[in-house]
Amino acid sequence: MNQQRPLPQGASASAANAAPVLNVGFILADNFTLSAFSLMVDQFRLAADDGDRSRPILARWQVMSSRPEPIRTSCGVTVAPSGPLADPANFNYIIVVGGLLHGGKQLDEESVAYLKRAARAGVPLVGVCTGSFVLARAGLMTGRRCCVSWYHYQDFLDEFPHHTPVADRLYVIDGDRITCAGGGGAADLATALVEKFLGRAIAQKSRHVLLLDRQRPGTESQPHPPIADLVADDRVRRSLLLMEQHLADPLPIADIARRLQLSTRQLERLFQTVMGQRPAEFYRRLRLRYARFLLDTTGRSVTDIALEAGFSDCAHFSRQFKAQHGFTPSDARARAPGPAAQSVAAHRLFE
């Protein structure tokens, strides 16, 4: 397997004859997710050369397949492989991009056998989107932490009851296995791989060209569905959506009731029955949870966060925050970036 090595002093993309520092092989599952693949491969492309010239100098990528036919994406577009399954030792990473879970068999037996051979050779394997399912089905995630999207969390538990999936992070690195929830997290993982082999400046250049904002670490929490999706009562669900849409400018409970064509007392009783608490109490906890999320994952001031979470002044926010969490917003900020703070940041905001 190619080992990481530093760039030579004064090296640039003009050294076209030099061996690439980062060499990546892709295996695309049938009905794979195009966005996850494109977000990764474009960062490798932009990192490989000066500007946007796309020469595979500092990095090289190859789409491998056991068959010569184009591979179909979940959106119907096809991608032609650039070559057959190559010697795994040629690559720093072999990345499996998954997609539709119920669209038929994702990989053929020859490709699965190839992944097992790569694992025996010690080549790091990466599962992106439902690529984690492909690796788990091949028996390559036994004893490893496995990151999946919140959307496929239950699917993974149903198929692999003896695994404990991680569904509150963007990606997880566990030795020579890396799994990524997919979506925008694929871009953040690609940045991390480029930075490891080619340096931060080149990694950031790729993101800037693609108009990608702040790089997120793998420990950052996945965006998640609103809690309203989990509530059966339509009136309570609509009230929750209104609350989530008005965190910075909280609506009076009477206004929410009026929009639902209910009296305030009717909404109070309904909310208590379905959610087990009064709507004002739930609304306040939701805003404080949002504030905690911002404290753990951004560098914004406590005052800015207080206003963003719908509190009229910092003192009122601090009192409410301490009453709920047992410590002040400043204390919460001082605890980061320790494991406890990261763990809280990874919790789903609207749980």
Side-chain angles (χ1 to χ4, degrees), residues 92-108:
N92 300 105
Y93 298 99
I94 294 174
I95 300 176
V96 182
V97 183
L100 294 182
L101 278 181
H102 310 296
K105 195 172 183 179
Q106 289 185 292
L107 284 185
D108 61 20

Side-chain angles (χ1 to χ4, degrees), residues 299-339:
R300 297 171 64 176
S301 71
V302 172
T303 299
D304 282 347
I305 289 172
L307 295 174
E308 180 70 19
F311 292 90
S312 56
D313 62 76
C314 194
H316 175 59
F317 166 61
S318 295
R319 286 193 300 271
Q320 295 286 327
F321 189 94
K322 186 173 183 180
Q324 176 157 317
H325 294 292
F327 45 83
T328 67
S330 297
D331 290 337
R333 176 63 55 76
R335 296 181 179 201

Side-chain angles (χ1 to χ4, degrees), residues 112-346:
V112 172
Y114 174 81
L115 291 173
K116 293 179 178 179
R117 182 156 60 96
R120 289 193 298 270
V123 179
L125 301 179
V126 182
V128 177
C129 192
T130 62
S132 55
F133 285 73
V134 174
L135 297 181
R137 287 172 188 149
L140 298 172
M141 293 304 299
T142 303
R144 309 293 188 110
R145 292 180 300 151
C146 189
C147 182
V148 300
S149 165
W150 63 264
Y151 188 79
H152 290 301
Y153 178 79
Q154 192 59 49
D155 293 316
F156 196 92
L157 280 180
D158 291 344
E159 186 170 350
F160 309 105
H162 301 298
H163 285 267
T164 303
V166 177
D168 60 0
R169 300 188 177 194
L170 297 177
Y171 59 87
V172 169
I173 300 175
D174 190 345
D176 56 3
R177 298 289 186 279
I178 303 174
T179 45
C180 174
D188 298 293
L189 174 57
T191 303
L193 299 183
V194 170
E195 182 172 338
K196 177 180 178 181
F197 280 82
L198 301 177
R200 182 170 178 78
I202 291 178
Q204 289 304 312
K205 172 247 185 177
S206 296
R207 291 188 71 87
H208 292 160
V209 173
L210 293 171
L211 304 183
L212 295 173
D213 203 352
R214 176 183 66 91
Q215 177 190 357
R216 299 172 296 177
T219 53
E220 188 154 319
S221 59
Q222 296 179 23
H224 43 73
I227 196 171
D229 288 355
L230 310 177
V231 175
D233 189 283
D234 182 64
R235 294 164 297 179
V236 175
R237 184 166 61 246
R238 288 164 59 201
S239 70
L240 291 172
L241 287 170
L242 285 170
M243 291 178 183
E244 291 168 357
Q245 292 163 4
H246 293 272
L247 293 175
D249 55 337
L251 296 172
I253 300 303
D255 283 0
I256 295 176
R258 186 164 49 253
R259 294 187 188 201
L260 301 177
Q261 297 183 325
L262 297 172
S263 70
T264 302
R265 181 169 294 184
Q266 284 175 316
L267 180 60
E268 293 268 359
R269 286 199 301 264
L270 187 62
F271 214 92
Q272 185 71 44
T273 300
V274 175
M275 303 300 295
Q277 55 189 304
R278 298 174 59 210
E281 178 187 2
F282 182 89
Y283 204 174
R284 177 179 56 82
R285 288 179 177 273
L286 185 64
R287 288 158 48 218
L288 288 169
R289 184 66 179 260
Y290 179 50
R292 181 70 193 274
F293 175 80
L294 294 175
L295 283 166
D296 288 341
T297 60
T298 75
R300 297 171 64 176
S301 71
V302 172
T303 299
D304 282 347
I305 289 172
L307 295 174
E308 180 70 19
F311 292 90
S312 56
D313 62 76
C314 194
H316 175 59
F317 166 61
S318 295
R319 286 193 300 271
Q320 295 286 327
F321 189 94
K322 186 173 183 180
Q324 176 157 317
H325 294 292
F327 45 83
T328 67
S330 297
D331 290 337
R333 176 63 55 76
R335 296 181 179 201
Q342 291 178 358
S343 175
V344 171

Side-chain angles (χ1 to χ4, degrees), residues 28-51:
L28 307 178
D30 288 337
N31 294 301
F32 73 95
T33 306
L34 182 60
S35 59
F37 169 63
S38 62
L39 281 169
M40 297 196 82
V41 74
D42 251 2
Q43 288 200 69
F44 299 144
R45 175 183 70 83
L46 290 164
D49 197 0
D50 292 329

Side-chain angles (χ1 to χ4, degrees), residues 1-17:
M1 181 182 70
N2 291 340
Q3 300 296 319
Q4 176 184 354
R5 61 182 186 274
L7 289 172
Q9 189 73 25
S12 71
S14 61
N17 295 323

